[in-house]
Amino acid sequence: MTSALAPFTVSSRTLRALASTEPCAEGTRLVRDVRRSKRLVLLRAVLDAAPGARAGETADHWALLEAAERRAPDAVRDVLHYPATGVWAEETLRRLHAPYGPPPDLAHLGALAVAAALRAGLAFTHTLRPVHGRLLLPTLGLLRPDRPGPLQLTERSWDPQDPATLPLHTLPGGRTALDDLDPYRAPGPARPAPVRPARRLTPKGHKRWDTQWTGALTLLQRYDTARAEETVHLLRSVVPLAGGSRSSGATLPAAAGSVLARAQAPPALAATLVHEVQHGKLTALSDVLTLHTADRTPRYWAPWRADPRPLEGLLHGAYAHLALAGYWQRAALYGARGAWAQHARIRAQVAAVLPVLRAHDRLTTAGREFTDAMADAERAMDELPPPGDQHATARRAVDRERRAWCETHPELAPFVRA
């Protein structure tokens, strides 16, 4: 396993393709490669910071990981690059460097190692300690041993048919997990209330998600085949949101390759997936390319939110909504009910903030090219306009919302227009 972040060169062609939000092979490959390199560097940092990493349990866990990787590298990579593994690694590294607070959960490295060994078909013996009578094996599921204390695991310890085993639910299609089990499927208590993950679902809840997921992918494949393929390639897990969550979806940088989403009807879920996948793409690009040097002061108007946003938040929102405008335009061309109105409204929102983004004096050269390409993609939608005056009506509505927002935030009015 490498410990150095691979150098990335982003060509102008790939940058502009990503800026358009339209799926492309080069962009998808870049996103996945960046995520993988970051994860390996993070895992290496955890190992280097862990006390006694060269001896004792931590060293044993790492040795099992390496043995599994020699046997089946693809299976092990899937465990290490699973979204929840990133949340664990970031939290563990933070705790390793914190003088106070809860101790790091280094035992979870053992669960990763055992999961990897099981996935690799490796003969092994390894001892782990269940927590509250449960042992989570990432990408596999839960073991519920019938006795307390340390548990000796071997290559025969995982049997999906065993009543003591609770496999992770896989959504129809075979690759994306519906993760309601992993304790690291979302960041800990500090996470914002709108993205609180649901507790373990019932079989009825799993069936409901299967139906909604299948329906959403069917719509994506019908209206926008490339986005459907991109969603499947870039999403490794979906984390159900709790019923009281105020957000329909969210993407958290630590959990690259995962989307938190509320159970919703297929048309709404399809739009949520399109929206959230874009956040993940832009996060990966920003990890290897500086688009701006602005601070995080919330001062900008975003038509899709009531609160002021920092430039980074405005850029992310405009990027995700640009993709949504394109998706609804394609859906409208296929006759989806209400799609033209959705397209006109969202496009008008994006068009209203693009001048602010493009005129910002803290954009880098790459950031300027990126936002220019976003504007080109927005203008290209004129080739297939909505019927009647829907677009003009939507623009007028957005202008009214902008004036109302400025009246509510008079001190920020100078930041609303370019």
Side-chain angles (χ1 to χ4, degrees):
M1 293 179 222
T2 182
S3 61
L5 182 63
F8 288 92
T9 300
V10 183
S11 68
S12 177
R13 174 183 170 182
T14 300
L15 179 64
R16 295 186 68 85
L18 282 169
S20 75
T21 79
E22 295 297 326
C24 69
E26 296 86 355
T28 298
R29 185 162 51 249
L30 176 70
V31 170
R32 296 182 71 174
D33 288 348
V34 169
R35 288 174 175 175
R36 288 169 176 168
S37 291
K38 278 191 64 181
R39 181 63 52 79
L40 291 178
V41 169
L42 184 59
L43 289 169
R44 187 75 228 184
V46 168
L47 181 67
D48 290 343
R54 303 302 175 189
E57 289 186 359
T58 302
D60 291 342
H61 299 332
W62 194 262
L64 181 59
L65 264 177
E66 291 183 324
E69 186 184 45
R70 288 192 292 271
R71 175 69 178 267
D74 288 344
V76 176
R77 286 191 199 106
D78 190 50
V79 174
L80 295 183
H81 297 295
Y82 188 66
T85 304
V87 178
W88 165 78
E90 286 201 5
E91 178 65 19
T92 298
L93 193 60
R94 191 160 44 243
R95 291 184 183 187
L96 283 167
H97 291 291
Y100 306 104
D105 180 14
L106 291 172
H108 192 70
L109 180 61
L112 289 167
V114 167
L118 287 165
R119 295 276 307 273
L122 182 72
F124 70 97
T125 301
H126 209 73
T127 301
L128 297 177
R129 294 173 179 80
V131 177
H132 304 304
R134 308 192 320 169
L135 180 64
L136 187 285
L137 299 177
T139 74
L140 291 175
L142 277 176
L143 281 177
R144 296 171 289 188
D146 56 4
R147 56 180 177 77
L151 181 65
Q152 188 176 74
L153 296 129
T154 71
E155 65 275 13
R156 296 180 296 278
S157 294
W158 182 259
D159 179 3
Q161 306 306 317
D162 190 326
T165 299
L166 184 63
L168 185 67
H169 186 75
T170 302
L171 290 164
R175 183 181 183 277
T176 305
L178 182 70
D179 196 340
D180 57 345
L181 293 177
D182 200 302
Y184 292 100
R185 61 191 183 276
R191 62 180 170 256
V195 292
R196 186 166 51 88
R199 295 185 178 183
R200 189 174 57 175
L201 301 179
T202 63
K204 184 177 179 180
H206 286 156
K207 186 174 180 180
R208 180 187 182 192
W209 263 99
D210 286 350
T211 300
Q212 293 174 340
W213 172 261
T214 299
L217 280 190
T218 297
L219 291 175
L220 283 173
Q221 289 161 354
R222 180 184 305 161
Y223 302 148
D224 199 334
T225 304
R227 290 202 192 280
E229 293 175 355
E230 179 182 65
T231 298
V232 172
H233 282 140
L234 293 182
L235 275 192
R236 179 63 180 85
S237 69
V238 175
V239 176
L241 283 170
S245 298
R246 297 191 299 274
S247 175
S248 60
T251 303
L252 304 176
S258 180
V259 162
L260 294 97
R262 192 172 60 208
Q264 51 201 300
L269 180 58
T272 294
L273 294 175
V274 169
H275 181 277
E276 298 303 334
V277 164
Q278 307 313 308
H279 285 304
K281 289 162 59 178
L282 184 50
T283 295
L285 178 65
S286 299
D287 284 332
V288 294
L289 201 62
T290 301
L291 300 177
H292 68 84
T293 57
D295 60 29
R296 299 196 63 81
T297 303
R299 55 169 68 98
Y300 300 100
W301 168 65
W304 40 84
R305 293 182 63 133
D307 55 328
R309 304 293 290 150
L311 185 70
E312 178 72 6
L314 185 64
L315 177 60
H316 261 272
Y319 185 67
H321 281 80
L322 178 63
L324 271 182
Y327 168 70
W328 283 119
Q329 185 180 48
R330 287 183 172 89
L333 293 170
Y334 276 89
R337 182 179 299 177
W340 276 126
Q342 291 273 29
H343 161 73
R345 176 180 61 85
I346 295 171
R347 184 188 170 189
Q349 292 176 333
V350 174
V353 301
L354 275 172
V356 176
L357 286 169
R358 297 177 68 199
H360 203 284
D361 61 0
R362 302 307 296 270
L363 289 178
T364 63
T365 301
R368 201 164 304 284
E369 183 175 8
F370 188 81
T371 54
D372 285 349
M374 286 178 64
D376 290 343
E378 186 270 326
R379 283 192 297 269
M381 294 177 186
D382 283 336
E383 296 176 8
L384 297 167
D389 63 349
Q390 289 188 61
H391 189 42
T393 300
R395 282 182 179 267
R396 288 194 294 270
V398 170
D399 283 339
R400 288 194 297 272
E401 293 168 8
R402 174 165 43 198
R403 289 194 296 271
W405 192 88
C406 288
E407 290 174 3
T408 305
H409 304 86
E411 75 285 3
L412 299 178
F415 299 102
V416 169
R417 290 187 180 274

